[in-house]
Amino acid sequence: MKAYIFPGQGAQFVGMGKDLYENSPLAKELFEKANEIIGFRISDIMFGGTDEELKQTNVTQPAIFLHSVILAKVLGDDFKPEMVAGHSLGEFSALVAANALSFEDGLKLVIARANAMQKACELQPSTMAAILGLADEVVEQICAGIEDVVVPANYNCPGQLVISGSIEGINKACEQLTAAGAKRALKLNVGGAFHSPLMEPAKVELQAAIEATAINAPVCPIYQNVNAQPTIDPVVIKTNLIAQLTGAVKWTQTATNMIADGGNDFVEVGPGNVLQGLVKKVSREVQTSSANIA
């Protein structure tokens, strides 16, 4: 079965989407529509801006979303998903590609999400760290024993779990996890504690936007971040999308479940190839590739 997967924040690079814009009238039309909706020429930053400009949350999230979604649209009849999933922000791209959300509504939600997350980051200094080489259970246990806010945030693949929380909480956790045998406890250069309770203000703000948006049944099951389970029920999709900002991204579990349900050909739609690497860490048996236009 063919599984299409959509990347999240961190996959961006300068020049992303330029080939689509130059070679596809549909892509050009969608990029121009996005520039209008956003209120500035995000396509100019994507195609020829600086890394710094592209790294701003209000640019990064819509940029990755646009690259993924427009690529899926340009694939046309070649895009025949039997299952989809997206990593964090990528869940929104997956929903638009699978016809559960319109292009315009998806983009507006991603902009609302980016702005809400930015505001939440400014309320309290917070961060994330990648923990390598420890069992998930050990990381969970140590985080649970720390009084400051620190939680597992991204279950990326076996042996790689990103934690999220207050600066104090992350510092204590990194110290204890290193002592417990982690190969590395690497603080990430991010603006805040994504997928943790510290995103509660953003969740409240985004909830109103999600509830006001029409979501239809997708053309195939979407495996969502918060529970790694497949669904086509719009009510369930909305509930899980709202929970996603403060809940963990269960990518290891998602890839495991997709493979168990017959997914054996994973195609990454969007910038980079990070997700292909993570899926391969779950199973060497599956095929992985990047979507591209002929």
Side-chain angles (χ1 to χ4, degrees):
M1 283 174 78
K2 204 155 213 180
Y4 285 87
I5 49 178
F6 296 80
Q9 208 162 331
Q12 70 277 4
F13 62 90
V14 173
M16 59 193 276
K18 192 165 186 256
D19 55 336
L20 293 172
Y21 187 94
E22 289 173 349
N23 295 308
S24 160
L26 172 61
K28 187 173 185 176
E29 184 193 321
L30 290 170
F31 273 118
E32 291 302 343
K33 190 186 274 189
N35 289 334
E36 273 176 48
I37 291 170
I38 292 173
F40 61 88
R41 291 193 61 79
I42 192 168
S43 58
D44 291 354
I45 300 175
M46 289 170 69
F47 306 160
T50 64
D51 283 335
E52 277 310 304
E53 287 174 312
L54 198 53
K55 254 179 26 195
Q56 294 165 35
T57 297
N58 69 327
V59 174
T60 311
Q61 294 198 24
I64 292 168
F65 167 86
L66 288 170
H67 188 274
S68 293
V69 167
I70 291 173
L71 176 52
K73 299 274 186 204
V74 170
L75 290 171
D77 291 342
D78 289 341
F79 182 72
K80 290 197 180 77
E82 292 172 274
M83 43 174 70
V84 294
H87 191 290
S88 189
L89 158 75
E91 192 157 282
F92 290 82
S93 312
L95 285 167
V96 174
N99 292 342
L101 261 174
S102 73
F103 175 77
E104 294 82 355
D105 284 346
L107 179 55
K108 285 173 187 167
L109 282 182
V110 166
I111 295 164
R113 181 182 192 266
N115 292 336
M117 286 168 82
Q118 187 60 44
K119 277 191 254 177
C121 291
E122 287 159 11
L123 282 175
Q124 182 177 353
S126 54
T127 192
M128 301 175 83
I131 310 303
L132 307 182
L134 269 187
D136 291 350
E137 300 72 44
V138 177
V139 181
E140 289 164 352
Q141 214 174 347
I142 287 173
C143 287
I146 293 170
E147 277 180 22
D148 302 271
V149 177
V150 57
V151 295
N154 296 351
Y155 292 80
N156 282 334
C157 64
Q160 189 192 119
L161 209 171
V162 175
I163 59 173
S164 186
S166 66
I167 305 243
E168 194 55 35
I170 292 290
N171 287 341
K172 285 179 188 167
C174 285
E175 211 172 286
Q176 291 183 29
L177 290 161
T178 304
K183 284 185 188 155
R184 290 188 81 181
L186 185 70
K187 282 179 205 158
L188 303 180
N189 182 18
V190 292
F194 305 137
H195 302 288
S196 84
L198 296 178
M199 284 291 121
E200 188 62 38
K203 177 180 161 182
V204 172
E205 197 172 317
L206 192 64
Q207 180 165 354
I210 289 172
E211 281 171 353
T213 302
I215 294 185
N216 306 309
V219 296
C220 65
I222 176 163
Y223 289 69
Q224 290 189 276
N225 289 177
V226 293
N227 61 4
Q229 297 300 320
T231 185
I232 56 166
D233 182 339
V235 176
V236 174
I237 289 171
K238 277 194 178 187
T239 304
N240 290 340
L241 268 188
I242 292 163
Q244 195 223 62
L245 269 187
T246 53
V249 175
K250 295 183 173 168
W251 191 256
T252 306
Q253 299 87 328
T254 294
T256 303
N257 291 346
M258 290 173 98
I259 293 164
D261 292 345
N264 59 359
D265 183 2
F266 284 75
V267 182
E268 187 162 1
V269 189
N273 55 10
V274 170
L275 296 185
Q276 293 169 62
L278 298 182
V279 169
K280 281 282 194 199
K281 292 260 173 66
V282 173
S283 168
R284 289 257 160 235
E285 306 303 305
V286 298
Q287 262 187 298
T288 61
S289 61
S290 294
N292 47 44
I293 46 172

